[in-house]
Amino acid sequence: MEKKPDNKVIKVHDRDNVAIIVQRGGLPAGTRLTNDTILKVAIPQGHKVALAEIDKGGVIVRYGEVIGTATCDIPRGGHVNETNVQLPRAPGLHDMPLATRSMPEAEPLEGYTFEGFRNPDGSVGTKNVLGITTSVQCVAGTTDYVVRRIKDELLPSYPNVDDVVALNHTYGCGVAINAPAAIVPIRTLKNISLNPNFGGEVMVIGLGCEKLQPSTLLSDQPVKIYENTEAADPDANILSLQDESFSGFEDMVNGIMAMAERHLEKLDRRRREICPASELVVGMQCGGSDAFSGVTANPAVGFATDLIVRAGGSVMFSEVTEVRDAIHLLTPRAVDEEVGQALLDQMAWYDDYLEQGQADRSANPSPGNKRGGLSNVVEKALGSIIKSGNSPIVDVIGPGERIRKRGLTFAATPASDFICGTLQLAAGMNLQVFTTGRGTPYGLSMVPVIKVATNTALSQRWHDIIDLDAGRIATGDASIEDIGWELFHLILDVASGRKLAAADRLGLHNDLVLFNPAPVT
Ligand code: CA
């Protein structure tokens, strides 16, 4: 095969009959590619070219898997995109191979550490943050106001505390609080306050008349969260604005400030200490994906996933709608049949949820994904699940549940960036890795978010928003392993506070967005 770097295409698997264009700005009609295919039309960067004649009804294969069938005859050198690819049926959820893959035990990875805030319950934080939980949206303006005052007036006296964050959200009232699915937003709120970065210092601001009573957020969770701390009086950690002892707004603010100060005193005593990499709990996510996601950033993330798992750490991958169409490739990787079945149960729950809303999976990918070269959700899924590396799947948790095991967990969440992020926070992640092809300034104030670009054009254009350029894999300047190791080291540096992720340096932080599958009343 003749090598002409400008005319390079990426074919992932031997069986593939399409490849993607690497050249920035795309290639014009008539271009002879490195594999001698001549482009029939101009094809943008990241988009697919047919490497062989594909007859109408013929299969289109990428990643060695069928991503769809041709809706018309496509010539060799033709542009393959959402207009000429028919979405295949989703794999059924019965008779799936469960826990059938036998893999040799991966070699343990020892000696890697980071400096984190160890909590008395054993969990480890990567930031030291005072989180102010709220039971209802009504109080959001007040908590924002108080957070500004705390930052100005109190925080300078507590130099070991990194930040103060109001955990505002749109839930709490006007909702069917007893509907079965309401368990999802409620447990999400409870579990977010248990995130290791908050050091167990839970305080709740409520209104008083809301459906979600503040005490619910503390009820079946011991107020004494950590073994070695004194059990606190639950009422001492809840403040309701309608409390009749308050006379005017300033009184409420003073009450919240006094409560915050008690927690700041405790948080200020936290210190970073050397912790093994096994204390990492990393959430993997992608957003604004393009056709490079599945060949550069996501495989590198998958390599880093395997490194963290080998080091004894915990990794979550999520985004049900982007996993659904590749579920047959995941169920064999479950450690046992129970975990395999739990994966299928989460897919079935989401199928049902979408059906109730008369939505279907073709709502994904987004228009931006399509412009980036992704034709449909199958192609997106194949490129997305690569983030999970090659490790066995040890556990499956539902939306808003806490992670239970070390190793690779599937944390079921919608693919929505901010909802997935919120649910991974509730699951207990202490760092998130986010891959993007189209670009997003996404960030979270509670945990560091490392953003990995799938292509060098984005990394250069957004040089101060992107943390790592995985596009070097497409240009041949780095291997998947190189970027995977680079990411692993970057994770340890950011978790230690030695390096700031771009989103934290710039203060780019998204809102918490709860997943509420229950009715709003
Ligand atoms: Ca996403």
Side-chain angles (χ1 to χ4, degrees), residues 58 60 66-71 81-91 321 325 360-365 370 374-381:
I60 292 155
V66 174
I67 64 165
T69 49
T71 57
N81 61 22
E82 69 277 9
T83 64
N84 55 14
V85 180
Q86 171 84 36
L87 183 68
R89 286 168 63 95
T321 45
D325 282 84
D360 68 40
R361 64 207 228 285
S362 65
N364 197 339
K370 288 176 182 167
L374 288 175
S375 298
N376 62 31
V377 70
V378 180
E379 184 177 20
K380 193 171 174 179

PDB file of all heavy atoms in Angstrom, residues 58 60 66-71 81-91 321 325 360-365 370 374-381:
ATOM      1  N   GLY A  58     -26.892  -3.800   1.242  1.00  0.00           N
ATOM      2  CA  GLY A  58     -25.656  -4.422   1.720  1.00  0.00           C
ATOM      3  C   GLY A  58     -25.238  -3.844   3.076  1.00  0.00           C
ATOM      4  O   GLY A  58     -25.637  -2.735   3.444  1.00  0.00           O
ATOM      5  N   ILE A  60     -22.934  -2.258   6.050  1.00  0.00           N
ATOM      6  CA  ILE A  60     -21.831  -1.321   6.232  1.00  0.00           C
ATOM      7  C   ILE A  60     -21.140  -1.704   7.537  1.00  0.00           C
ATOM      8  O   ILE A  60     -21.791  -1.806   8.584  1.00  0.00           O
ATOM      9  CB  ILE A  60     -22.355   0.128   6.252  1.00  0.00           C
ATOM     10  CG1 ILE A  60     -22.863   0.455   4.838  1.00  0.00           C
ATOM     11  CG2 ILE A  60     -21.278   1.109   6.682  1.00  0.00           C
ATOM     12  CD1 ILE A  60     -23.896   1.504   4.770  1.00  0.00           C
ATOM     13  N   VAL A  66     -21.545  -4.625  12.120  1.00  0.00           N
ATOM     14  CA  VAL A  66     -22.475  -3.993  11.186  1.00  0.00           C
ATOM     15  C   VAL A  66     -23.055  -2.728  11.822  1.00  0.00           C
ATOM     16  O   VAL A  66     -23.661  -2.791  12.884  1.00  0.00           O
ATOM     17  CB  VAL A  66     -23.622  -4.968  10.825  1.00  0.00           C
ATOM     18  CG1 VAL A  66     -24.669  -4.264   9.959  1.00  0.00           C
ATOM     19  CG2 VAL A  66     -23.058  -6.187  10.111  1.00  0.00           C
ATOM     20  N   ILE A  67     -22.840  -1.577  11.172  1.00  0.00           N
ATOM     21  CA  ILE A  67     -23.429  -0.338  11.716  1.00  0.00           C
ATOM     22  C   ILE A  67     -24.705   0.039  10.969  1.00  0.00           C
ATOM     23  O   ILE A  67     -25.394   0.985  11.344  1.00  0.00           O
ATOM     24  CB  ILE A  67     -22.430   0.839  11.713  1.00  0.00           C
ATOM     25  CG1 ILE A  67     -22.012   1.227  10.290  1.00  0.00           C
ATOM     26  CG2 ILE A  67     -21.216   0.534  12.565  1.00  0.00           C
ATOM     27  CD1 ILE A  67     -21.333   2.591  10.213  1.00  0.00           C
ATOM     28  N   GLY A  68     -25.038  -0.708   9.898  1.00  0.00           N
ATOM     29  CA  GLY A  68     -26.274  -0.425   9.184  1.00  0.00           C
ATOM     30  C   GLY A  68     -26.237  -1.052   7.799  1.00  0.00           C
ATOM     31  O   GLY A  68     -25.284  -1.753   7.450  1.00  0.00           O
ATOM     32  N   THR A  69     -27.312  -0.784   7.035  1.00  0.00           N
ATOM     33  CA  THR A  69     -27.352  -1.273   5.660  1.00  0.00           C
ATOM     34  C   THR A  69     -27.511  -0.083   4.725  1.00  0.00           C
ATOM     35  O   THR A  69     -28.067   0.949   5.103  1.00  0.00           O
ATOM     36  CB  THR A  69     -28.535  -2.247   5.461  1.00  0.00           C
ATOM     37  OG1 THR A  69     -29.713  -1.628   5.990  1.00  0.00           O
ATOM     38  CG2 THR A  69     -28.298  -3.557   6.184  1.00  0.00           C
ATOM     39  N   ALA A  70     -27.039  -0.265   3.476  1.00  0.00           N
ATOM     40  CA  ALA A  70     -27.079   0.830   2.507  1.00  0.00           C
ATOM     41  C   ALA A  70     -28.502   1.017   1.997  1.00  0.00           C
ATOM     42  O   ALA A  70     -29.180   0.039   1.648  1.00  0.00           O
ATOM     43  CB  ALA A  70     -26.130   0.525   1.351  1.00  0.00           C
ATOM     44  N   THR A  71     -28.969   2.260   1.949  1.00  0.00           N
ATOM     45  CA  THR A  71     -30.328   2.528   1.450  1.00  0.00           C
ATOM     46  C   THR A  71     -30.316   2.713  -0.071  1.00  0.00           C
ATOM     47  O   THR A  71     -31.357   2.868  -0.698  1.00  0.00           O
ATOM     48  CB  THR A  71     -30.915   3.797   2.089  1.00  0.00           C
ATOM     49  OG1 THR A  71     -30.025   4.895   1.812  1.00  0.00           O
ATOM     50  CG2 THR A  71     -31.070   3.647   3.580  1.00  0.00           C
ATOM     51  N   ASN A  81     -22.945   8.236   4.920  1.00  0.00           N
ATOM     52  CA  ASN A  81     -23.389   9.050   6.061  1.00  0.00           C
ATOM     53  C   ASN A  81     -24.842   8.728   6.399  1.00  0.00           C
ATOM     54  O   ASN A  81     -25.409   7.768   5.858  1.00  0.00           O
ATOM     55  CB  ASN A  81     -23.185  10.550   5.772  1.00  0.00           C
ATOM     56  CG  ASN A  81     -23.974  11.013   4.571  1.00  0.00           C
ATOM     57  OD1 ASN A  81     -24.962  10.384   4.190  1.00  0.00           O
ATOM     58  ND2 ASN A  81     -23.544  12.099   3.962  1.00  0.00           N
ATOM     59  N   GLU A  82     -25.435   9.519   7.295  1.00  0.00           N
ATOM     60  CA  GLU A  82     -26.762   9.169   7.803  1.00  0.00           C
ATOM     61  C   GLU A  82     -27.825   9.147   6.716  1.00  0.00           C
ATOM     62  O   GLU A  82     -28.887   8.558   6.897  1.00  0.00           O
ATOM     63  CB  GLU A  82     -27.173  10.102   8.955  1.00  0.00           C
ATOM     64  CG  GLU A  82     -27.451  11.559   8.577  1.00  0.00           C
ATOM     65  CD  GLU A  82     -26.203  12.421   8.490  1.00  0.00           C
ATOM     66  OE1 GLU A  82     -25.076  11.882   8.554  1.00  0.00           O
ATOM     67  OE2 GLU A  82     -26.352  13.652   8.326  1.00  0.00           O
ATOM     68  N   THR A  83     -27.554   9.758   5.537  1.00  0.00           N
ATOM     69  CA  THR A  83     -28.565   9.791   4.481  1.00  0.00           C
ATOM     70  C   THR A  83     -28.635   8.484   3.686  1.00  0.00           C
ATOM     71  O   THR A  83     -29.622   8.223   3.016  1.00  0.00           O
ATOM     72  CB  THR A  83     -28.302  10.939   3.480  1.00  0.00           C
ATOM     73  OG1 THR A  83     -27.050  10.690   2.826  1.00  0.00           O
ATOM     74  CG2 THR A  83     -28.255  12.291   4.169  1.00  0.00           C
ATOM     75  N   ASN A  84     -27.562   7.685   3.756  1.00  0.00           N
ATOM     76  CA  ASN A  84     -27.606   6.440   2.979  1.00  0.00           C
ATOM     77  C   ASN A  84     -27.347   5.183   3.814  1.00  0.00           C
ATOM     78  O   ASN A  84     -27.042   4.124   3.297  1.00  0.00           O
ATOM     79  CB  ASN A  84     -26.659   6.512   1.758  1.00  0.00           C
ATOM     80  CG  ASN A  84     -25.222   6.858   2.132  1.00  0.00           C
ATOM     81  OD1 ASN A  84     -24.860   6.803   3.301  1.00  0.00           O
ATOM     82  ND2 ASN A  84     -24.416   7.204   1.139  1.00  0.00           N
ATOM     83  N   VAL A  85     -27.442   5.347   5.166  1.00  0.00           N
ATOM     84  CA  VAL A  85     -27.282   4.196   6.060  1.00  0.00           C
ATOM     85  C   VAL A  85     -28.567   3.974   6.846  1.00  0.00           C
ATOM     86  O   VAL A  85     -29.057   4.885   7.515  1.00  0.00           O
ATOM     87  CB  VAL A  85     -26.119   4.416   7.066  1.00  0.00           C
ATOM     88  CG1 VAL A  85     -25.980   3.210   7.984  1.00  0.00           C
ATOM     89  CG2 VAL A  85     -24.817   4.678   6.335  1.00  0.00           C
ATOM     90  N   GLN A  86     -29.110   2.769   6.740  1.00  0.00           N
ATOM     91  CA  GLN A  86     -30.324   2.403   7.480  1.00  0.00           C
ATOM     92  C   GLN A  86     -29.910   1.840   8.837  1.00  0.00           C
ATOM     93  O   GLN A  86     -29.058   0.955   8.911  1.00  0.00           O
ATOM     94  CB  GLN A  86     -31.082   1.342   6.668  1.00  0.00           C
ATOM     95  CG  GLN A  86     -32.247   0.682   7.366  1.00  0.00           C
ATOM     96  CD  GLN A  86     -33.506   1.526   7.252  1.00  0.00           C
ATOM     97  OE1 GLN A  86     -33.745   2.162   6.231  1.00  0.00           O
ATOM     98  NE2 GLN A  86     -34.280   1.548   8.319  1.00  0.00           N
ATOM     99  N   LEU A  87     -30.511   2.365   9.925  1.00  0.00           N
ATOM    100  CA  LEU A  87     -30.201   1.896  11.286  1.00  0.00           C
ATOM    101  C   LEU A  87     -30.662   0.449  11.459  1.00  0.00           C
ATOM    102  O   LEU A  87     -31.809   0.126  11.174  1.00  0.00           O
ATOM    103  CB  LEU A  87     -30.941   2.802  12.287  1.00  0.00           C
ATOM    104  CG  LEU A  87     -30.732   2.563  13.782  1.00  0.00           C
ATOM    105  CD1 LEU A  87     -29.313   2.908  14.190  1.00  0.00           C
ATOM    106  CD2 LEU A  87     -31.718   3.402  14.589  1.00  0.00           C
ATOM    107  N   PRO A  88     -29.780  -0.448  11.905  1.00  0.00           N
ATOM    108  CA  PRO A  88     -30.228  -1.829  12.124  1.00  0.00           C
ATOM    109  C   PRO A  88     -31.065  -1.943  13.399  1.00  0.00           C
ATOM    110  O   PRO A  88     -31.068  -1.037  14.215  1.00  0.00           O
ATOM    111  CB  PRO A  88     -28.924  -2.612  12.277  1.00  0.00           C
ATOM    112  CG  PRO A  88     -27.921  -1.617  12.743  1.00  0.00           C
ATOM    113  CD  PRO A  88     -28.371  -0.260  12.261  1.00  0.00           C
ATOM    114  N   ARG A  89     -31.764  -3.070  13.543  1.00  0.00           N
ATOM    115  CA  ARG A  89     -32.542  -3.301  14.772  1.00  0.00           C
ATOM    116  C   ARG A  89     -31.588  -3.450  15.950  1.00  0.00           C
ATOM    117  O   ARG A  89     -30.485  -3.966  15.796  1.00  0.00           O
ATOM    118  CB  ARG A  89     -33.358  -4.589  14.632  1.00  0.00           C
ATOM    119  CG  ARG A  89     -34.552  -4.455  13.701  1.00  0.00           C
ATOM    120  CD  ARG A  89     -35.101  -5.840  13.399  1.00  0.00           C
ATOM    121  NE  ARG A  89     -35.599  -6.485  14.611  1.00  0.00           N
ATOM    122  CZ  ARG A  89     -36.871  -6.442  14.986  1.00  0.00           C
ATOM    123  NH1 ARG A  89     -37.751  -5.801  14.252  1.00  0.00           N
ATOM    124  NH2 ARG A  89     -37.266  -7.052  16.074  1.00  0.00           N
ATOM    125  N   ALA A  90     -32.028  -2.988  17.136  1.00  0.00           N
ATOM    126  CA  ALA A  90     -31.196  -3.140  18.333  1.00  0.00           C
ATOM    127  C   ALA A  90     -31.083  -4.618  18.661  1.00  0.00           C
ATOM    128  O   ALA A  90     -32.025  -5.377  18.439  1.00  0.00           O
ATOM    129  CB  ALA A  90     -31.830  -2.393  19.494  1.00  0.00           C
ATOM    130  N   PRO A  91     -29.937  -5.044  19.198  1.00  0.00           N
ATOM    131  CA  PRO A  91     -29.830  -6.447  19.590  1.00  0.00           C
ATOM    132  C   PRO A  91     -30.910  -6.784  20.615  1.00  0.00           C
ATOM    133  O   PRO A  91     -31.233  -5.950  21.475  1.00  0.00           O
ATOM    134  CB  PRO A  91     -28.440  -6.553  20.223  1.00  0.00           C
ATOM    135  CG  PRO A  91     -27.802  -5.210  20.153  1.00  0.00           C
ATOM    136  CD  PRO A  91     -28.746  -4.257  19.499  1.00  0.00           C
ATOM    137  N   THR A 321     -27.817   4.761  26.484  1.00  0.00           N
ATOM    138  CA  THR A 321     -28.228   4.811  25.079  1.00  0.00           C
ATOM    139  C   THR A 321     -27.051   4.637  24.129  1.00  0.00           C
ATOM    140  O   THR A 321     -27.253   4.338  22.954  1.00  0.00           O
ATOM    141  CB  THR A 321     -28.940   6.144  24.760  1.00  0.00           C
ATOM    142  OG1 THR A 321     -28.187   7.211  25.338  1.00  0.00           O
ATOM    143  CG2 THR A 321     -30.345   6.160  25.299  1.00  0.00           C
ATOM    144  N   ASP A 325     -26.687  -0.457  21.865  1.00  0.00           N
ATOM    145  CA  ASP A 325     -26.518  -1.116  20.570  1.00  0.00           C
ATOM    146  C   ASP A 325     -25.241  -1.950  20.489  1.00  0.00           C
ATOM    147  O   ASP A 325     -24.984  -2.562  19.457  1.00  0.00           O
ATOM    148  CB  ASP A 325     -26.573  -0.078  19.453  1.00  0.00           C
ATOM    149  CG  ASP A 325     -28.012   0.337  19.175  1.00  0.00           C
ATOM    150  OD1 ASP A 325     -28.523   1.231  19.880  1.00  0.00           O
ATOM    151  OD2 ASP A 325     -28.644  -0.273  18.299  1.00  0.00           O
ATOM    152  N   ASP A 360     -37.379   7.031  20.464  1.00  0.00           N
ATOM    153  CA  ASP A 360     -36.589   5.843  20.198  1.00  0.00           C
ATOM    154  C   ASP A 360     -35.128   6.237  20.083  1.00  0.00           C
ATOM    155  O   ASP A 360     -34.757   7.399  20.156  1.00  0.00           O
ATOM    156  CB  ASP A 360     -37.093   5.066  18.984  1.00  0.00           C
ATOM    157  CG  ASP A 360     -36.886   5.820  17.700  1.00  0.00           C
ATOM    158  OD1 ASP A 360     -35.831   6.453  17.555  1.00  0.00           O
ATOM    159  OD2 ASP A 360     -37.791   5.808  16.843  1.00  0.00           O
ATOM    160  N   ARG A 361     -34.329   5.215  19.927  1.00  0.00           N
ATOM    161  CA  ARG A 361     -32.905   5.434  20.022  1.00  0.00           C
ATOM    162  C   ARG A 361     -32.366   6.250  18.860  1.00  0.00           C
ATOM    163  O   ARG A 361     -31.233   6.739  18.919  1.00  0.00           O
ATOM    164  CB  ARG A 361     -32.183   4.094  20.165  1.00  0.00           C
ATOM    165  CG  ARG A 361     -32.314   3.189  18.978  1.00  0.00           C
ATOM    166  CD  ARG A 361     -32.189   1.746  19.449  1.00  0.00           C
ATOM    167  NE  ARG A 361     -31.263   0.986  18.616  1.00  0.00           N
ATOM    168  CZ  ARG A 361     -31.527   0.555  17.406  1.00  0.00           C
ATOM    169  NH1 ARG A 361     -32.694   0.830  16.833  1.00  0.00           N
ATOM    170  NH2 ARG A 361     -30.635  -0.137  16.739  1.00  0.00           N
ATOM    171  N   SER A 362     -33.143   6.449  17.801  1.00  0.00           N
ATOM    172  CA  SER A 362     -32.635   7.241  16.676  1.00  0.00           C
ATOM    173  C   SER A 362     -32.547   8.718  17.032  1.00  0.00           C
ATOM    174  O   SER A 362     -32.017   9.524  16.274  1.00  0.00           O
ATOM    175  CB  SER A 362     -33.515   7.039  15.442  1.00  0.00           C
ATOM    176  OG  SER A 362     -34.801   7.556  15.697  1.00  0.00           O
ATOM    177  N   ALA A 363     -33.076   9.106  18.237  1.00  0.00           N
ATOM    178  CA  ALA A 363     -32.928  10.494  18.701  1.00  0.00           C
ATOM    179  C   ALA A 363     -31.458  10.830  18.943  1.00  0.00           C
ATOM    180  O   ALA A 363     -31.062  11.986  18.992  1.00  0.00           O
ATOM    181  CB  ALA A 363     -33.724  10.698  19.982  1.00  0.00           C
ATOM    182  N   ASN A 364     -30.631   9.828  19.119  1.00  0.00           N
ATOM    183  CA  ASN A 364     -29.197   9.955  19.271  1.00  0.00           C
ATOM    184  C   ASN A 364     -28.610   9.337  17.984  1.00  0.00           C
ATOM    185  O   ASN A 364     -29.135   8.334  17.526  1.00  0.00           O
ATOM    186  CB  ASN A 364     -28.790   9.128  20.508  1.00  0.00           C
ATOM    187  CG  ASN A 364     -27.431   9.471  21.054  1.00  0.00           C
ATOM    188  OD1 ASN A 364     -26.599  10.035  20.358  1.00  0.00           O
ATOM    189  ND2 ASN A 364     -27.207   9.095  22.286  1.00  0.00           N
ATOM    190  N   PRO A 365     -27.600   9.810  17.332  1.00  0.00           N
ATOM    191  CA  PRO A 365     -26.742  10.929  17.700  1.00  0.00           C
ATOM    192  C   PRO A 365     -27.339  12.306  17.398  1.00  0.00           C
ATOM    193  O   PRO A 365     -28.330  12.432  16.702  1.00  0.00           O
ATOM    194  CB  PRO A 365     -25.495  10.708  16.843  1.00  0.00           C
ATOM    195  CG  PRO A 365     -25.828   9.734  15.785  1.00  0.00           C
ATOM    196  CD  PRO A 365     -27.094   9.072  16.163  1.00  0.00           C
ATOM    197  N   LYS A 370     -23.491  14.040  13.854  1.00  0.00           N
ATOM    198  CA  LYS A 370     -23.620  13.682  12.437  1.00  0.00           C
ATOM    199  C   LYS A 370     -22.676  14.512  11.584  1.00  0.00           C
ATOM    200  O   LYS A 370     -22.012  14.000  10.683  1.00  0.00           O
ATOM    201  CB  LYS A 370     -25.072  13.835  11.971  1.00  0.00           C
ATOM    202  CG  LYS A 370     -25.972  12.741  12.556  1.00  0.00           C
ATOM    203  CD  LYS A 370     -27.427  12.946  12.184  1.00  0.00           C
ATOM    204  CE  LYS A 370     -28.295  11.840  12.843  1.00  0.00           C
ATOM    205  NZ  LYS A 370     -29.714  12.151  12.779  1.00  0.00           N
ATOM    206  N   LEU A 374     -20.544  10.822  12.436  1.00  0.00           N
ATOM    207  CA  LEU A 374     -21.210   9.642  12.996  1.00  0.00           C
ATOM    208  C   LEU A 374     -22.591   9.488  12.359  1.00  0.00           C
ATOM    209  O   LEU A 374     -23.423  10.387  12.442  1.00  0.00           O
ATOM    210  CB  LEU A 374     -21.363   9.788  14.517  1.00  0.00           C
ATOM    211  CG  LEU A 374     -20.071   9.651  15.320  1.00  0.00           C
ATOM    212  CD1 LEU A 374     -20.332   9.943  16.801  1.00  0.00           C
ATOM    213  CD2 LEU A 374     -19.468   8.269  15.160  1.00  0.00           C
ATOM    214  N   SER A 375     -22.822   8.349  11.717  1.00  0.00           N
ATOM    215  CA  SER A 375     -24.069   8.171  10.978  1.00  0.00           C
ATOM    216  C   SER A 375     -25.238   7.807  11.866  1.00  0.00           C
ATOM    217  O   SER A 375     -26.369   8.220  11.617  1.00  0.00           O
ATOM    218  CB  SER A 375     -23.903   7.070   9.927  1.00  0.00           C
ATOM    219  OG  SER A 375     -22.926   7.454   9.009  1.00  0.00           O
ATOM    220  N   ASN A 376     -25.015   6.979  12.874  1.00  0.00           N
ATOM    221  CA  ASN A 376     -26.133   6.551  13.711  1.00  0.00           C
ATOM    222  C   ASN A 376     -25.631   6.068  15.066  1.00  0.00           C
ATOM    223  O   ASN A 376     -24.431   6.063  15.352  1.00  0.00           O
ATOM    224  CB  ASN A 376     -26.962   5.471  13.001  1.00  0.00           C
ATOM    225  CG  ASN A 376     -26.160   4.220  12.717  1.00  0.00           C
ATOM    226  OD1 ASN A 376     -25.246   3.863  13.460  1.00  0.00           O
ATOM    227  ND2 ASN A 376     -26.480   3.540  11.632  1.00  0.00           N
ATOM    228  N   VAL A 377     -26.595   5.653  15.908  1.00  0.00           N
ATOM    229  CA  VAL A 377     -26.284   5.322  17.299  1.00  0.00           C
ATOM    230  C   VAL A 377     -25.452   4.036  17.409  1.00  0.00           C
ATOM    231  O   VAL A 377     -24.726   3.838  18.379  1.00  0.00           O
ATOM    232  CB  VAL A 377     -27.587   5.245  18.132  1.00  0.00           C
ATOM    233  CG1 VAL A 377     -28.418   4.041  17.746  1.00  0.00           C
ATOM    234  CG2 VAL A 377     -27.293   5.269  19.614  1.00  0.00           C
ATOM    235  N   VAL A 378     -25.544   3.163  16.396  1.00  0.00           N
ATOM    236  CA  VAL A 378     -24.750   1.932  16.449  1.00  0.00           C
ATOM    237  C   VAL A 378     -23.270   2.279  16.318  1.00  0.00           C
ATOM    238  O   VAL A 378     -22.419   1.817  17.099  1.00  0.00           O
ATOM    239  CB  VAL A 378     -25.155   0.960  15.321  1.00  0.00           C
ATOM    240  CG1 VAL A 378     -24.316  -0.302  15.391  1.00  0.00           C
ATOM    241  CG2 VAL A 378     -26.632   0.636  15.414  1.00  0.00           C
ATOM    242  N   GLU A 379     -22.990   3.134  15.348  1.00  0.00           N
ATOM    243  CA  GLU A 379     -21.605   3.560  15.152  1.00  0.00           C
ATOM    244  C   GLU A 379     -21.103   4.306  16.388  1.00  0.00           C
ATOM    245  O   GLU A 379     -19.972   4.125  16.838  1.00  0.00           O
ATOM    246  CB  GLU A 379     -21.518   4.462  13.910  1.00  0.00           C
ATOM    247  CG  GLU A 379     -20.096   4.872  13.583  1.00  0.00           C
ATOM    248  CD  GLU A 379     -19.999   5.706  12.301  1.00  0.00           C
ATOM    249  OE1 GLU A 379     -21.018   6.283  11.881  1.00  0.00           O
ATOM    250  OE2 GLU A 379     -18.886   5.773  11.746  1.00  0.00           O
ATOM    251  N   LYS A 380     -21.999   5.126  16.955  1.00  0.00           N
ATOM    252  CA  LYS A 380     -21.630   5.889  18.151  1.00  0.00           C
ATOM    253  C   LYS A 380     -21.355   4.932  19.321  1.00  0.00           C
ATOM    254  O   LYS A 380     -20.396   5.112  20.070  1.00  0.00           O
ATOM    255  CB  LYS A 380     -22.757   6.872  18.491  1.00  0.00           C
ATOM    256  CG  LYS A 380     -22.361   7.916  19.508  1.00  0.00           C
ATOM    257  CD  LYS A 380     -23.424   8.991  19.650  1.00  0.00           C
ATOM    258  CE  LYS A 380     -23.049   9.934  20.791  1.00  0.00           C
ATOM    259  NZ  LYS A 380     -24.017  11.006  20.984  1.00  0.00           N
ATOM    260  N   ALA A 381     -22.196   3.914  19.471  1.00  0.00           N
ATOM    261  CA  ALA A 381     -22.050   2.963  20.580  1.00  0.00           C
ATOM    262  C   ALA A 381     -20.743   2.186  20.485  1.00  0.00           C
ATOM    263  O   ALA A 381     -20.035   2.008  21.471  1.00  0.00           O
ATOM    264  CB  ALA A 381     -23.233   1.990  20.597  1.00  0.00           C
TER     265      ALA A 381
END
